PDB file of all heavy atoms in Angstrom:
ATOM      1  N   MET A  24     -30.521 -61.718  -1.668  1.00  0.00           N
ATOM      2  CA  MET A  24     -29.754 -60.505  -1.422  1.00  0.00           C
ATOM      3  C   MET A  24     -30.648 -59.294  -1.289  1.00  0.00           C
ATOM      4  O   MET A  24     -30.326 -58.354  -0.559  1.00  0.00           O
ATOM      5  CB  MET A  24     -28.692 -60.331  -2.517  1.00  0.00           C
ATOM      6  CG  MET A  24     -27.591 -61.377  -2.427  1.00  0.00           C
ATOM      7  SD  MET A  24     -26.129 -61.009  -3.400  1.00  0.00           S
ATOM      8  CE  MET A  24     -26.732 -61.266  -5.051  1.00  0.00           C
ATOM      9  N   LYS A  25     -31.777 -59.309  -1.952  1.00  0.00           N
ATOM     10  CA  LYS A  25     -32.733 -58.219  -1.810  1.00  0.00           C
ATOM     11  C   LYS A  25     -33.347 -58.216  -0.402  1.00  0.00           C
ATOM     12  O   LYS A  25     -33.440 -57.173   0.253  1.00  0.00           O
ATOM     13  CB  LYS A  25     -33.848 -58.324  -2.855  1.00  0.00           C
ATOM     14  CG  LYS A  25     -34.847 -57.196  -2.746  1.00  0.00           C
ATOM     15  CD  LYS A  25     -35.979 -57.332  -3.731  1.00  0.00           C
ATOM     16  CE  LYS A  25     -36.995 -56.211  -3.478  1.00  0.00           C
ATOM     17  NZ  LYS A  25     -38.218 -56.414  -4.189  1.00  0.00           N
ATOM     18  N   LYS A  26     -33.726 -59.388   0.076  1.00  0.00           N
ATOM     19  CA  LYS A  26     -34.295 -59.504   1.427  1.00  0.00           C
ATOM     20  C   LYS A  26     -33.325 -59.026   2.492  1.00  0.00           C
ATOM     21  O   LYS A  26     -33.727 -58.537   3.523  1.00  0.00           O
ATOM     22  CB  LYS A  26     -34.700 -60.939   1.706  1.00  0.00           C
ATOM     23  CG  LYS A  26     -35.927 -61.402   0.961  1.00  0.00           C
ATOM     24  CD  LYS A  26     -36.255 -62.861   1.279  1.00  0.00           C
ATOM     25  CE  LYS A  26     -37.409 -63.353   0.481  1.00  0.00           C
ATOM     26  NZ  LYS A  26     -37.654 -64.798   0.665  1.00  0.00           N
ATOM     27  N   GLU A  27     -32.028 -59.191   2.216  1.00  0.00           N
ATOM     28  CA  GLU A  27     -31.005 -58.815   3.180  1.00  0.00           C
ATOM     29  C   GLU A  27     -30.581 -57.339   3.021  1.00  0.00           C
ATOM     30  O   GLU A  27     -29.770 -56.838   3.791  1.00  0.00           O
ATOM     31  CB  GLU A  27     -29.806 -59.745   3.021  1.00  0.00           C
ATOM     32  CG  GLU A  27     -28.874 -59.809   4.185  1.00  0.00           C
ATOM     33  CD  GLU A  27     -29.519 -60.289   5.475  1.00  0.00           C
ATOM     34  OE1 GLU A  27     -30.449 -61.116   5.420  1.00  0.00           O
ATOM     35  OE2 GLU A  27     -29.080 -59.837   6.537  1.00  0.00           O
ATOM     36  N   GLY A  28     -31.131 -56.642   2.028  1.00  0.00           N
ATOM     37  CA  GLY A  28     -30.823 -55.225   1.844  1.00  0.00           C
ATOM     38  C   GLY A  28     -29.554 -54.946   1.046  1.00  0.00           C
ATOM     39  O   GLY A  28     -29.084 -53.813   1.032  1.00  0.00           O
ATOM     40  N   ILE A  29     -29.033 -55.963   0.398  1.00  0.00           N
ATOM     41  CA  ILE A  29     -27.858 -55.756  -0.451  1.00  0.00           C
ATOM     42  C   ILE A  29     -28.292 -55.209  -1.810  1.00  0.00           C
ATOM     43  O   ILE A  29     -27.599 -54.383  -2.405  1.00  0.00           O
ATOM     44  CB  ILE A  29     -27.082 -57.083  -0.602  1.00  0.00           C
ATOM     45  CG1 ILE A  29     -26.522 -57.505   0.747  1.00  0.00           C
ATOM     46  CG2 ILE A  29     -25.965 -56.947  -1.638  1.00  0.00           C
ATOM     47  CD1 ILE A  29     -25.947 -58.904   0.791  1.00  0.00           C
ATOM     48  N   LEU A  30     -29.425 -55.692  -2.300  1.00  0.00           N
ATOM     49  CA  LEU A  30     -29.970 -55.253  -3.572  1.00  0.00           C
ATOM     50  C   LEU A  30     -31.350 -54.639  -3.387  1.00  0.00           C
ATOM     51  O   LEU A  30     -32.013 -54.869  -2.372  1.00  0.00           O
ATOM     52  CB  LEU A  30     -30.118 -56.455  -4.535  1.00  0.00           C
ATOM     53  CG  LEU A  30     -28.865 -57.196  -4.933  1.00  0.00           C
ATOM     54  CD1 LEU A  30     -29.214 -58.377  -5.830  1.00  0.00           C
ATOM     55  CD2 LEU A  30     -27.874 -56.272  -5.627  1.00  0.00           C
ATOM     56  N   GLU A  31     -31.751 -53.897  -4.390  1.00  0.00           N
ATOM     57  CA  GLU A  31     -33.130 -53.396  -4.496  1.00  0.00           C
ATOM     58  C   GLU A  31     -33.607 -53.723  -5.902  1.00  0.00           C
ATOM     59  O   GLU A  31     -32.796 -54.016  -6.798  1.00  0.00           O
ATOM     60  CB  GLU A  31     -33.186 -51.888  -4.242  1.00  0.00           C
ATOM     61  CG  GLU A  31     -32.943 -51.538  -2.783  1.00  0.00           C
ATOM     62  CD  GLU A  31     -33.208 -50.083  -2.479  1.00  0.00           C
ATOM     63  OE1 GLU A  31     -33.931 -49.418  -3.252  1.00  0.00           O
ATOM     64  OE2 GLU A  31     -32.672 -49.589  -1.486  1.00  0.00           O
ATOM     65  N   SER A  32     -34.897 -53.658  -6.096  1.00  0.00           N
ATOM     66  CA  SER A  32     -35.444 -53.907  -7.431  1.00  0.00           C
ATOM     67  C   SER A  32     -36.521 -52.896  -7.745  1.00  0.00           C
ATOM     68  O   SER A  32     -37.119 -52.303  -6.841  1.00  0.00           O
ATOM     69  CB  SER A  32     -35.995 -55.337  -7.537  1.00  0.00           C
ATOM     70  OG  SER A  32     -37.116 -55.484  -6.701  1.00  0.00           O
ATOM     71  N   LYS A  33     -36.758 -52.741  -9.019  1.00  0.00           N
ATOM     72  CA  LYS A  33     -37.789 -51.860  -9.524  1.00  0.00           C
ATOM     73  C   LYS A  33     -38.647 -52.664 -10.476  1.00  0.00           C
ATOM     74  O   LYS A  33     -38.094 -53.383 -11.346  1.00  0.00           O
ATOM     75  CB  LYS A  33     -37.174 -50.666 -10.231  1.00  0.00           C
ATOM     76  CG  LYS A  33     -38.176 -49.683 -10.779  1.00  0.00           C
ATOM     77  CD  LYS A  33     -37.453 -48.517 -11.463  1.00  0.00           C
ATOM     78  CE  LYS A  33     -38.471 -47.661 -12.172  1.00  0.00           C
ATOM     79  NZ  LYS A  33     -37.846 -46.696 -13.045  1.00  0.00           N
ATOM     80  N   LYS A  34     -39.945 -52.611 -10.337  1.00  0.00           N
ATOM     81  CA  LYS A  34     -40.835 -53.363 -11.229  1.00  0.00           C
ATOM     82  C   LYS A  34     -41.254 -52.515 -12.417  1.00  0.00           C
ATOM     83  O   LYS A  34     -41.130 -51.288 -12.408  1.00  0.00           O
ATOM     84  CB  LYS A  34     -42.088 -53.785 -10.457  1.00  0.00           C
ATOM     85  CG  LYS A  34     -41.804 -54.811  -9.387  1.00  0.00           C
ATOM     86  CD  LYS A  34     -43.081 -55.275  -8.704  1.00  0.00           C
ATOM     87  CE  LYS A  34     -42.734 -56.284  -7.652  1.00  0.00           C
ATOM     88  NZ  LYS A  34     -43.879 -56.875  -6.998  1.00  0.00           N
ATOM     89  N   GLY A  35     -41.746 -53.195 -13.428  1.00  0.00           N
ATOM     90  CA  GLY A  35     -42.287 -52.508 -14.587  1.00  0.00           C
ATOM     91  C   GLY A  35     -41.229 -52.155 -15.616  1.00  0.00           C
ATOM     92  O   GLY A  35     -40.088 -52.588 -15.579  1.00  0.00           O
ATOM     93  N   LYS A  36     -41.659 -51.283 -16.555  1.00  0.00           N
ATOM     94  CA  LYS A  36     -40.767 -50.858 -17.636  1.00  0.00           C
ATOM     95  C   LYS A  36     -39.559 -50.137 -17.009  1.00  0.00           C
ATOM     96  O   LYS A  36     -39.693 -49.263 -16.169  1.00  0.00           O
ATOM     97  CB  LYS A  36     -41.504 -49.928 -18.583  1.00  0.00           C
ATOM     98  CG  LYS A  36     -40.686 -49.535 -19.777  1.00  0.00           C
ATOM     99  CD  LYS A  36     -41.474 -48.713 -20.766  1.00  0.00           C
ATOM    100  CE  LYS A  36     -40.498 -48.247 -21.798  1.00  0.00           C
ATOM    101  NZ  LYS A  36     -40.970 -48.249 -23.133  1.00  0.00           N
ATOM    102  N   GLY A  37     -38.388 -50.491 -17.475  1.00  0.00           N
ATOM    103  CA  GLY A  37     -37.155 -49.903 -16.939  1.00  0.00           C
ATOM    104  C   GLY A  37     -36.787 -50.503 -15.583  1.00  0.00           C
ATOM    105  O   GLY A  37     -35.956 -49.985 -14.878  1.00  0.00           O
ATOM    106  N   GLY A  38     -37.418 -51.624 -15.260  1.00  0.00           N
ATOM    107  CA  GLY A  38     -37.177 -52.268 -13.974  1.00  0.00           C
ATOM    108  C   GLY A  38     -36.003 -53.212 -14.007  1.00  0.00           C
ATOM    109  O   GLY A  38     -35.363 -53.432 -15.025  1.00  0.00           O
ATOM    110  N   GLY A  39     -35.759 -53.796 -12.850  1.00  0.00           N
ATOM    111  CA  GLY A  39     -34.665 -54.750 -12.715  1.00  0.00           C
ATOM    112  C   GLY A  39     -34.048 -54.629 -11.347  1.00  0.00           C
ATOM    113  O   GLY A  39     -34.621 -54.007 -10.429  1.00  0.00           O
ATOM    114  N   TYR A  40     -32.856 -55.169 -11.195  1.00  0.00           N
ATOM    115  CA  TYR A  40     -32.130 -55.123  -9.913  1.00  0.00           C
ATOM    116  C   TYR A  40     -31.026 -54.085  -9.959  1.00  0.00           C
ATOM    117  O   TYR A  40     -30.444 -53.819 -11.009  1.00  0.00           O
ATOM    118  CB  TYR A  40     -31.538 -56.499  -9.600  1.00  0.00           C
ATOM    119  CG  TYR A  40     -32.533 -57.444  -8.965  1.00  0.00           C
ATOM    120  CD1 TYR A  40     -33.308 -58.280  -9.724  1.00  0.00           C
ATOM    121  CD2 TYR A  40     -32.697 -57.471  -7.571  1.00  0.00           C
ATOM    122  CE1 TYR A  40     -34.220 -59.139  -9.155  1.00  0.00           C
ATOM    123  CE2 TYR A  40     -33.609 -58.321  -6.979  1.00  0.00           C
ATOM    124  CZ  TYR A  40     -34.354 -59.155  -7.779  1.00  0.00           C
ATOM    125  OH  TYR A  40     -35.265 -60.007  -7.192  1.00  0.00           O
ATOM    126  N   PHE A  41     -30.694 -53.566  -8.793  1.00  0.00           N
ATOM    127  CA  PHE A  41     -29.583 -52.652  -8.648  1.00  0.00           C
ATOM    128  C   PHE A  41     -29.064 -52.717  -7.226  1.00  0.00           C
ATOM    129  O   PHE A  41     -29.770 -53.226  -6.321  1.00  0.00           O
ATOM    130  CB  PHE A  41     -29.959 -51.216  -9.039  1.00  0.00           C
ATOM    131  CG  PHE A  41     -31.137 -50.653  -8.290  1.00  0.00           C
ATOM    132  CD1 PHE A  41     -30.971 -49.837  -7.180  1.00  0.00           C
ATOM    133  CD2 PHE A  41     -32.450 -50.943  -8.719  1.00  0.00           C
ATOM    134  CE1 PHE A  41     -32.077 -49.315  -6.492  1.00  0.00           C
ATOM    135  CE2 PHE A  41     -33.544 -50.426  -8.035  1.00  0.00           C
ATOM    136  CZ  PHE A  41     -33.350 -49.616  -6.915  1.00  0.00           C
ATOM    137  N   LEU A  42     -27.847 -52.259  -6.976  1.00  0.00           N
ATOM    138  CA  LEU A  42     -27.266 -52.282  -5.639  1.00  0.00           C
ATOM    139  C   LEU A  42     -28.036 -51.344  -4.724  1.00  0.00           C
ATOM    140  O   LEU A  42     -28.333 -50.213  -5.101  1.00  0.00           O
ATOM    141  CB  LEU A  42     -25.788 -51.877  -5.673  1.00  0.00           C
ATOM    142  CG  LEU A  42     -24.851 -52.746  -6.518  1.00  0.00           C
ATOM    143  CD1 LEU A  42     -23.429 -52.173  -6.446  1.00  0.00           C
ATOM    144  CD2 LEU A  42     -24.859 -54.200  -6.064  1.00  0.00           C
ATOM    145  N   ALA A  43     -28.312 -51.809  -3.518  1.00  0.00           N
ATOM    146  CA  ALA A  43     -29.027 -50.994  -2.537  1.00  0.00           C
ATOM    147  C   ALA A  43     -28.087 -49.996  -1.875  1.00  0.00           C
ATOM    148  O   ALA A  43     -28.542 -49.006  -1.293  1.00  0.00           O
ATOM    149  CB  ALA A  43     -29.674 -51.886  -1.469  1.00  0.00           C
ATOM    150  N   ARG A  44     -26.802 -50.266  -1.926  1.00  0.00           N
ATOM    151  CA  ARG A  44     -25.802 -49.357  -1.369  1.00  0.00           C
ATOM    152  C   ARG A  44     -24.566 -49.427  -2.236  1.00  0.00           C
ATOM    153  O   ARG A  44     -24.481 -50.219  -3.168  1.00  0.00           O
ATOM    154  CB  ARG A  44     -25.525 -49.696   0.085  1.00  0.00           C
ATOM    155  CG  ARG A  44     -25.187 -51.153   0.333  1.00  0.00           C
ATOM    156  CD  ARG A  44     -25.123 -51.422   1.835  1.00  0.00           C
ATOM    157  NE  ARG A  44     -24.563 -52.713   2.088  1.00  0.00           N
ATOM    158  CZ  ARG A  44     -25.184 -53.708   2.697  1.00  0.00           C
ATOM    159  NH1 ARG A  44     -26.407 -53.558   3.115  1.00  0.00           N
ATOM    160  NH2 ARG A  44     -24.592 -54.843   2.886  1.00  0.00           N
ATOM    161  N   GLU A  45     -23.633 -48.587  -1.943  1.00  0.00           N
ATOM    162  CA  GLU A  45     -22.398 -48.529  -2.728  1.00  0.00           C
ATOM    163  C   GLU A  45     -21.667 -49.867  -2.682  1.00  0.00           C
ATOM    164  O   GLU A  45     -21.655 -50.544  -1.648  1.00  0.00           O
ATOM    165  CB  GLU A  45     -21.468 -47.412  -2.215  1.00  0.00           C
ATOM    166  CG  GLU A  45     -22.025 -46.027  -2.421  1.00  0.00           C
ATOM    167  CD  GLU A  45     -22.183 -45.666  -3.875  1.00  0.00           C
ATOM    168  OE1 GLU A  45     -21.287 -45.994  -4.692  1.00  0.00           O
ATOM    169  OE2 GLU A  45     -23.210 -45.066  -4.213  1.00  0.00           O
ATOM    170  N   ALA A  46     -21.010 -50.219  -3.771  1.00  0.00           N
ATOM    171  CA  ALA A  46     -20.230 -51.462  -3.825  1.00  0.00           C
ATOM    172  C   ALA A  46     -19.159 -51.468  -2.752  1.00  0.00           C
ATOM    173  O   ALA A  46     -18.803 -52.525  -2.232  1.00  0.00           O
ATOM    174  CB  ALA A  46     -19.622 -51.634  -5.214  1.00  0.00           C
ATOM    175  N   SER A  47     -18.648 -50.322  -2.417  1.00  0.00           N
ATOM    176  CA  SER A  47     -17.603 -50.211  -1.376  1.00  0.00           C
ATOM    177  C   SER A  47     -18.155 -50.475   0.035  1.00  0.00           C
ATOM    178  O   SER A  47     -17.398 -50.608   0.978  1.00  0.00           O
ATOM    179  CB  SER A  47     -16.959 -48.840  -1.425  1.00  0.00           C
ATOM    180  OG  SER A  47     -17.919 -47.831  -1.215  1.00  0.00           O
ATOM    181  N   ASP A  48     -19.473 -50.558   0.167  1.00  0.00           N
ATOM    182  CA  ASP A  48     -20.102 -50.843   1.467  1.00  0.00           C
ATOM    183  C   ASP A  48     -20.620 -52.263   1.570  1.00  0.00           C
ATOM    184  O   ASP A  48     -21.213 -52.639   2.606  1.00  0.00           O
ATOM    185  CB  ASP A  48     -21.234 -49.871   1.712  1.00  0.00           C
ATOM    186  CG  ASP A  48     -20.765 -48.442   1.862  1.00  0.00           C
ATOM    187  OD1 ASP A  48     -19.633 -48.223   2.338  1.00  0.00           O
ATOM    188  OD2 ASP A  48     -21.526 -47.520   1.503  1.00  0.00           O
ATOM    189  N   ILE A  49     -20.448 -53.069   0.544  1.00  0.00           N
ATOM    190  CA  ILE A  49     -20.912 -54.454   0.552  1.00  0.00           C
ATOM    191  C   ILE A  49     -19.709 -55.364   0.821  1.00  0.00           C
ATOM    192  O   ILE A  49     -18.875 -55.586  -0.039  1.00  0.00           O
ATOM    193  CB  ILE A  49     -21.602 -54.835  -0.777  1.00  0.00           C
ATOM    194  CG1 ILE A  49     -22.781 -53.887  -1.041  1.00  0.00           C
ATOM    195  CG2 ILE A  49     -22.056 -56.302  -0.740  1.00  0.00           C
ATOM    196  CD1 ILE A  49     -23.408 -54.043  -2.417  1.00  0.00           C
ATOM    197  N   VAL A  50     -19.637 -55.823   2.055  1.00  0.00           N
ATOM    198  CA  VAL A  50     -18.482 -56.602   2.538  1.00  0.00           C
ATOM    199  C   VAL A  50     -18.613 -58.060   2.109  1.00  0.00           C
ATOM    200  O   VAL A  50     -19.668 -58.661   2.222  1.00  0.00           O
ATOM    201  CB  VAL A  50     -18.401 -56.478   4.083  1.00  0.00           C
ATOM    202  CG1 VAL A  50     -17.259 -57.326   4.650  1.00  0.00           C
ATOM    203  CG2 VAL A  50     -18.261 -55.023   4.500  1.00  0.00           C
ATOM    204  N   LEU A  51     -17.501 -58.611   1.595  1.00  0.00           N
ATOM    205  CA  LEU A  51     -17.519 -59.986   1.098  1.00  0.00           C
ATOM    206  C   LEU A  51     -17.936 -60.988   2.151  1.00  0.00           C
ATOM    207  O   LEU A  51     -18.686 -61.925   1.861  1.00  0.00           O
ATOM    208  CB  LEU A  51     -16.141 -60.369   0.529  1.00  0.00           C
ATOM    209  CG  LEU A  51     -15.595 -59.516  -0.613  1.00  0.00           C
ATOM    210  CD1 LEU A  51     -14.303 -60.119  -1.140  1.00  0.00           C
ATOM    211  CD2 LEU A  51     -16.621 -59.361  -1.722  1.00  0.00           C
ATOM    212  N   ALA A  52     -17.496 -60.813   3.388  1.00  0.00           N
ATOM    213  CA  ALA A  52     -17.841 -61.750   4.470  1.00  0.00           C
ATOM    214  C   ALA A  52     -19.362 -61.775   4.677  1.00  0.00           C
ATOM    215  O   ALA A  52     -19.943 -62.837   4.912  1.00  0.00           O
ATOM    216  CB  ALA A  52     -17.133 -61.392   5.776  1.00  0.00           C
ATOM    217  N   ASP A  53     -20.015 -60.631   4.570  1.00  0.00           N
ATOM    218  CA  ASP A  53     -21.459 -60.581   4.761  1.00  0.00           C
ATOM    219  C   ASP A  53     -22.213 -61.345   3.660  1.00  0.00           C
ATOM    220  O   ASP A  53     -23.167 -62.065   3.931  1.00  0.00           O
ATOM    221  CB  ASP A  53     -21.966 -59.124   4.781  1.00  0.00           C
ATOM    222  CG  ASP A  53     -21.443 -58.356   5.993  1.00  0.00           C
ATOM    223  OD1 ASP A  53     -21.025 -58.990   6.983  1.00  0.00           O
ATOM    224  OD2 ASP A  53     -21.442 -57.105   5.914  1.00  0.00           O
ATOM    225  N   VAL A  54     -21.759 -61.196   2.434  1.00  0.00           N
ATOM    226  CA  VAL A  54     -22.365 -61.913   1.321  1.00  0.00           C
ATOM    227  C   VAL A  54     -22.140 -63.411   1.479  1.00  0.00           C
ATOM    228  O   VAL A  54     -23.076 -64.209   1.317  1.00  0.00           O
ATOM    229  CB  VAL A  54     -21.799 -61.435  -0.041  1.00  0.00           C
ATOM    230  CG1 VAL A  54     -22.363 -62.266  -1.194  1.00  0.00           C
ATOM    231  CG2 VAL A  54     -22.088 -59.950  -0.234  1.00  0.00           C
ATOM    232  N   MET A  55     -20.940 -63.795   1.863  1.00  0.00           N
ATOM    233  CA  MET A  55     -20.647 -65.217   2.046  1.00  0.00           C
ATOM    234  C   MET A  55     -21.512 -65.821   3.142  1.00  0.00           C
ATOM    235  O   MET A  55     -22.059 -66.916   2.976  1.00  0.00           O
ATOM    236  CB  MET A  55     -19.170 -65.415   2.348  1.00  0.00           C
ATOM    237  CG  MET A  55     -18.294 -65.243   1.135  1.00  0.00           C
ATOM    238  SD  MET A  55     -16.539 -65.511   1.465  1.00  0.00           S
ATOM    239  CE  MET A  55     -16.551 -67.259   1.870  1.00  0.00           C
ATOM    240  N   ARG A  56     -21.640 -65.118   4.258  1.00  0.00           N
ATOM    241  CA  ARG A  56     -22.482 -65.645   5.343  1.00  0.00           C
ATOM    242  C   ARG A  56     -23.934 -65.759   4.920  1.00  0.00           C
ATOM    243  O   ARG A  56     -24.599 -66.735   5.302  1.00  0.00           O
ATOM    244  CB  ARG A  56     -22.370 -64.737   6.568  1.00  0.00           C
ATOM    245  CG  ARG A  56     -21.098 -64.907   7.336  1.00  0.00           C
ATOM    246  CD  ARG A  56     -21.123 -64.119   8.647  1.00  0.00           C
ATOM    247  NE  ARG A  56     -19.815 -64.175   9.273  1.00  0.00           N
ATOM    248  CZ  ARG A  56     -18.964 -63.175   9.340  1.00  0.00           C
ATOM    249  NH1 ARG A  56     -19.274 -61.988   8.833  1.00  0.00           N
ATOM    250  NH2 ARG A  56     -17.812 -63.312   9.939  1.00  0.00           N
ATOM    251  N   LEU A  57     -24.414 -64.816   4.151  1.00  0.00           N
ATOM    252  CA  LEU A  57     -25.799 -64.859   3.694  1.00  0.00           C
ATOM    253  C   LEU A  57     -26.020 -66.079   2.799  1.00  0.00           C
ATOM    254  O   LEU A  57     -26.999 -66.820   2.963  1.00  0.00           O
ATOM    255  CB  LEU A  57     -26.133 -63.575   2.934  1.00  0.00           C
ATOM    256  CG  LEU A  57     -27.480 -63.586   2.203  1.00  0.00           C
ATOM    257  CD1 LEU A  57     -28.629 -63.659   3.201  1.00  0.00           C
ATOM    258  CD2 LEU A  57     -27.597 -62.354   1.315  1.00  0.00           C
ATOM    259  N   ILE A  58     -25.156 -66.291   1.839  1.00  0.00           N
ATOM    260  CA  ILE A  58     -25.345 -67.333   0.840  1.00  0.00           C
ATOM    261  C   ILE A  58     -24.857 -68.688   1.350  1.00  0.00           C
ATOM    262  O   ILE A  58     -25.523 -69.716   1.175  1.00  0.00           O
ATOM    263  CB  ILE A  58     -24.627 -66.957  -0.488  1.00  0.00           C
ATOM    264  CG1 ILE A  58     -25.102 -65.593  -1.020  1.00  0.00           C
ATOM    265  CG2 ILE A  58     -24.829 -68.061  -1.523  1.00  0.00           C
ATOM    266  CD1 ILE A  58     -26.547 -65.526  -1.407  1.00  0.00           C
ATOM    267  N   GLU A  59     -23.690 -68.712   1.929  1.00  0.00           N
ATOM    268  CA  GLU A  59     -22.997 -69.945   2.323  1.00  0.00           C
ATOM    269  C   GLU A  59     -23.377 -70.416   3.724  1.00  0.00           C
ATOM    270  O   GLU A  59     -23.333 -71.583   4.000  1.00  0.00           O
ATOM    271  CB  GLU A  59     -21.508 -69.680   2.384  1.00  0.00           C
ATOM    272  CG  GLU A  59     -20.510 -70.082   1.424  1.00  0.00           C
ATOM    273  CD  GLU A  59     -20.652 -71.158   0.435  1.00  0.00           C
ATOM    274  OE1 GLU A  59     -20.492 -72.334   0.820  1.00  0.00           O
ATOM    275  OE2 GLU A  59     -20.840 -70.875  -0.714  1.00  0.00           O
ATOM    276  N   GLY A  60     -23.579 -69.441   4.622  1.00  0.00           N
ATOM    277  CA  GLY A  60     -23.679 -69.779   6.050  1.00  0.00           C
ATOM    278  C   GLY A  60     -22.323 -69.501   6.693  1.00  0.00           C
ATOM    279  O   GLY A  60     -21.669 -68.531   6.315  1.00  0.00           O
ATOM    280  N   PRO A  61     -21.908 -70.360   7.608  1.00  0.00           N
ATOM    281  CA  PRO A  61     -20.639 -70.109   8.318  1.00  0.00           C
ATOM    282  C   PRO A  61     -19.424 -70.049   7.401  1.00  0.00           C
ATOM    283  O   PRO A  61     -19.347 -70.812   6.436  1.00  0.00           O
ATOM    284  CB  PRO A  61     -20.508 -71.285   9.264  1.00  0.00           C
ATOM    285  CG  PRO A  61     -21.843 -71.928   9.323  1.00  0.00           C
ATOM    286  CD  PRO A  61     -22.559 -71.582   8.055  1.00  0.00           C
ATOM    287  N   ILE A  62     -18.499 -69.167   7.726  1.00  0.00           N
ATOM    288  CA  ILE A  62     -17.238 -69.098   6.983  1.00  0.00           C
ATOM    289  C   ILE A  62     -16.241 -70.103   7.555  1.00  0.00           C
ATOM    290  O   ILE A  62     -15.421 -70.629   6.833  1.00  0.00           O
ATOM    291  CB  ILE A  62     -16.669 -67.649   7.041  1.00  0.00           C
ATOM    292  CG1 ILE A  62     -17.614 -66.747   6.222  1.00  0.00           C
ATOM    293  CG2 ILE A  62     -15.236 -67.581   6.548  1.00  0.00           C
ATOM    294  CD1 ILE A  62     -17.292 -65.264   6.313  1.00  0.00           C
ATOM    295  N   SER A  63     -16.358 -70.354   8.839  1.00  0.00           N
ATOM    296  CA  SER A  63     -15.397 -71.279   9.492  1.00  0.00           C
ATOM    297  C   SER A  63     -15.646 -72.726   9.047  1.00  0.00           C
ATOM    298  O   SER A  63     -16.733 -73.082   8.612  1.00  0.00           O
ATOM    299  CB  SER A  63     -15.480 -71.168  11.004  1.00  0.00           C
ATOM    300  OG  SER A  63     -16.815 -71.130  11.420  1.00  0.00           O
ATOM    301  N   LEU A  64     -14.599 -73.541   9.191  1.00  0.00           N
ATOM    302  CA  LEU A  64     -14.657 -74.909   8.718  1.00  0.00           C
ATOM    303  C   LEU A  64     -15.292 -75.893   9.710  1.00  0.00           C
ATOM    304  O   LEU A  64     -15.666 -76.981   9.327  1.00  0.00           O
ATOM    305  CB  LEU A  64     -13.226 -75.391   8.366  1.00  0.00           C
ATOM    306  CG  LEU A  64     -12.559 -74.590   7.240  1.00  0.00           C
ATOM    307  CD1 LEU A  64     -11.097 -75.053   7.061  1.00  0.00           C
ATOM    308  CD2 LEU A  64     -13.327 -74.739   5.950  1.00  0.00           C
ATOM    309  N   LEU A  65     -15.371 -75.498  10.960  1.00  0.00           N
ATOM    310  CA  LEU A  65     -16.061 -76.306  11.982  1.00  0.00           C
ATOM    311  C   LEU A  65     -17.063 -75.431  12.709  1.00  0.00           C
ATOM    312  O   LEU A  65     -16.805 -74.243  12.942  1.00  0.00           O
ATOM    313  CB  LEU A  65     -15.058 -76.842  13.021  1.00  0.00           C
ATOM    314  CG  LEU A  65     -14.147 -77.993  12.635  1.00  0.00           C
ATOM    315  CD1 LEU A  65     -13.187 -78.330  13.785  1.00  0.00           C
ATOM    316  CD2 LEU A  65     -14.963 -79.233  12.276  1.00  0.00           C
ATOM    317  N   PRO A  66     -18.199 -75.998  13.101  1.00  0.00           N
ATOM    318  CA  PRO A  66     -19.199 -75.187  13.805  1.00  0.00           C
ATOM    319  C   PRO A  66     -18.712 -74.646  15.150  1.00  0.00           C
ATOM    320  O   PRO A  66     -19.135 -73.581  15.584  1.00  0.00           O
ATOM    321  CB  PRO A  66     -20.378 -76.141  13.997  1.00  0.00           C
ATOM    322  CG  PRO A  66     -19.862 -77.511  13.772  1.00  0.00           C
ATOM    323  CD  PRO A  66     -18.641 -77.385  12.897  1.00  0.00           C
ATOM    324  N   CYS A  67     -17.768 -75.353  15.796  1.00  0.00           N
ATOM    325  CA  CYS A  67     -17.302 -74.922  17.121  1.00  0.00           C
ATOM    326  C   CYS A  67     -16.341 -73.725  17.037  1.00  0.00           C
ATOM    327  O   CYS A  67     -15.975 -73.178  18.086  1.00  0.00           O
ATOM    328  CB  CYS A  67     -16.644 -76.073  17.857  1.00  0.00           C
ATOM    329  SG  CYS A  67     -15.108 -76.659  17.119  1.00  0.00           S
ATOM    330  N   VAL A  68     -15.944 -73.306  15.865  1.00  0.00           N
ATOM    331  CA  VAL A  68     -15.075 -72.123  15.748  1.00  0.00           C
ATOM    332  C   VAL A  68     -15.769 -70.947  15.068  1.00  0.00           C
ATOM    333  O   VAL A  68     -15.215 -69.894  14.866  1.00  0.00           O
ATOM    334  CB  VAL A  68     -13.744 -72.428  15.008  1.00  0.00           C
ATOM    335  CG1 VAL A  68     -12.968 -73.490  15.734  1.00  0.00           C
ATOM    336  CG2 VAL A  68     -13.969 -72.812  13.573  1.00  0.00           C
ATOM    337  N   SER A  69     -17.056 -71.135  14.755  1.00  0.00           N
ATOM    338  CA  SER A  69     -17.811 -70.076  14.068  1.00  0.00           C
ATOM    339  C   SER A  69     -18.166 -68.945  15.017  1.00  0.00           C
ATOM    340  O   SER A  69     -18.595 -69.173  16.149  1.00  0.00           O
ATOM    341  CB  SER A  69     -19.100 -70.680  13.483  1.00  0.00           C
ATOM    342  OG  SER A  69     -19.837 -69.679  12.844  1.00  0.00           O
TER     343      SER A  69
END
C-alpha cells in the first residue's frame, strides 16, 4: 500500500505508518484491485 501511495511511513523514533491521503479519498475498489487483483469473477469481464 505504501508503494501504491495509499500509505506513507516515517523511520526512526516516532516512526511508523500513516495514511498518505484522507480516508475519504481511499476508494475500496482501488484497495481491492491492489491486493486482490481483478474484482470481476471471470477474466473476460474485467
Side-chain angles (χ1 to χ4, degrees):
M24 290 194 288
K25 181 183 176 191
K26 287 178 184 174
E27 200 60 32
I29 295 170
L30 298 177
E31 289 188 21
S32 65
K33 180 180 172 191
K34 293 184 180 184
K36 185 175 173 141
Y40 277 91
F41 56 97
L42 299 179
R44 51 188 191 242
E45 293 297 318
S47 59
D48 294 330
I49 302 172
V50 177
L51 300 186
D53 294 339
V54 175
M55 286 181 66
R56 284 188 187 107
L57 171 65
I58 305 295
E59 256 340 281
I62 291 173
S63 45
L64 298 175
L65 285 177
C67 67
V68 301
S69 179

